[in-house]
Amino acid sequence: MPTVLYEVKGNYAVMTISRPKALNALNSEVLNDLNAALDAIDFSTVWALVITGDGAKSFVAGADIAEMSTLTPEEGEAFGKKGNDVFRKIETLPIPVIAAVNGFALGGGNELAMSCDIRLCSDNALFGQPEVGLGITPGFGGTQRLARLVPKGIAKELIYSAKNIKADEAKAIGLVNAVYAQEELLPAAEKLAAKIAKQAPIAVRACKKAINEGLDVDMDKAIVIEEKLFGSCFKTHDQIEGMDAFLTKRKEKNFINA
Ligand code: CAA
């Protein structure tokens, strides 16, 4: 049984981490399956992705503690790299990725959510980096992404104290964009994915690249990154189509990702 399910719905897709007996905890098998599922996405037709967890209780309850418990320092570093490589793949995926956080998002679960572009959650979601209570640091990007996503002092408080926070607090600190009743979460995430997938994909992808790459450099370099991506949109089918639809007051647009 694959531990990652994948369903294409029109121009977006839903990927589900499915290891319910361990609250979707990430062992090597899940990380391998997730990596393979990401590699198999057909970006010519899939224009946005939702990632969620199987069941009503957990998004992902972290990296697998049983698997980690006997690792040597070298194996620990390699396991961190394995997770980081997959999460970086998500972060730099050409298309926008929405995390639909449907319960526990602890340790590697919060780190998975943070590698996505946008986080939405259910009202039973619980976020945290409990690693120091296990005698380790966050290992799949938590020290880096949390400190970039929320104020540095808040990130440090959460990581140093292993304190978990509920959905409303996650919203208050900007870790998630919105909180939904449990049954409304996936429909809301899919609605957002569908709305993104209705826009010109080449432009959406260029926006993702501009934001991500621009944030890693100073403003002088960042605006050049934007100028180049902005320029790359012109004379594409989708730029001509989008502007023609506006100028001729036509509502329907036929974007083709070219
Ligand atoms: N690793 C391995 N197994 C896990 C797991 C994890 N991270 N989280 C849950 N499970 C397993 C439990 O061992 C249990 O299995 P058994 O039925 O075989 O005993 C099953 O999932 C159900 O879990 P609980 O009985 O504990 O369920 P609960 O509702 O009472 O508690 C919970 C839920 C609060 C999430 C609790 O399971 C928990 O605290 N899990 C660990 C959370 C955690 O510390 N995550 C961080 C891991 S470290 C990490 O992620 C490092 C990194 O950055 C890479």
Side-chain angles (χ1 to χ4, degrees), residues 11-163:
N11 281 125
Y12 69 89
V14 178
M15 204 171 268
T16 306
I17 313 292
S18 181
R19 194 187 165 216
K21 66 173 179 161
L23 299 177
N24 306 324
L26 303 169
N27 60 11
S28 292
E29 185 190 1
V30 179
L31 289 172
N32 288 340
D33 286 353
L34 183 55
N35 193 46
L38 293 165
D39 284 344
I41 298 173
D42 179 358
F43 296 116
S44 68
T45 53
V46 173
W47 298 351
L49 177 69
V50 174
I51 297 183
T52 194
D54 203 355
K57 198 172 159 183
S58 184
F59 175 65
V60 165
D64 191 281
I65 298 169
E67 181 173 339
M68 287 186 295
S69 62
T70 57
L71 298 183
T72 63
E74 293 72 25
E75 289 166 344
E77 189 176 335
F79 190 59
K81 179 166 170 33
K82 189 178 184 71
N84 273 333
D85 286 351
V86 180
F87 289 7
R88 185 74 177 136
K89 189 173 278 185
I90 293 171
E91 189 168 49
T92 58
L93 215 62
I95 57 174
V97 186
I98 301 164
V101 180
N102 57 314
F104 298 120
L106 301 174
N110 192 39
E111 292 167 316
L112 170 59
M114 290 191 297
S115 70
C116 299
D117 294 280
I118 295 166
R119 283 151 297 286
L120 309 179
C121 76
S122 53
D123 51 15
N124 65 326
L126 191 71
F127 298 83
Q129 298 291 154
E131 286 89 349
V132 293
L134 295 163
I136 55 173
T137 66
F140 293 167
T143 56
Q144 302 310 307
R145 293 198 179 92
L146 190 58
R148 284 167 168 79
L149 269 173
V150 305
K152 196 164 46 176
I154 304 256
K156 288 182 170 178
E157 180 183 340
L158 291 175
I159 291 172
Y160 299 165
S161 70
K163 172 181 145 192

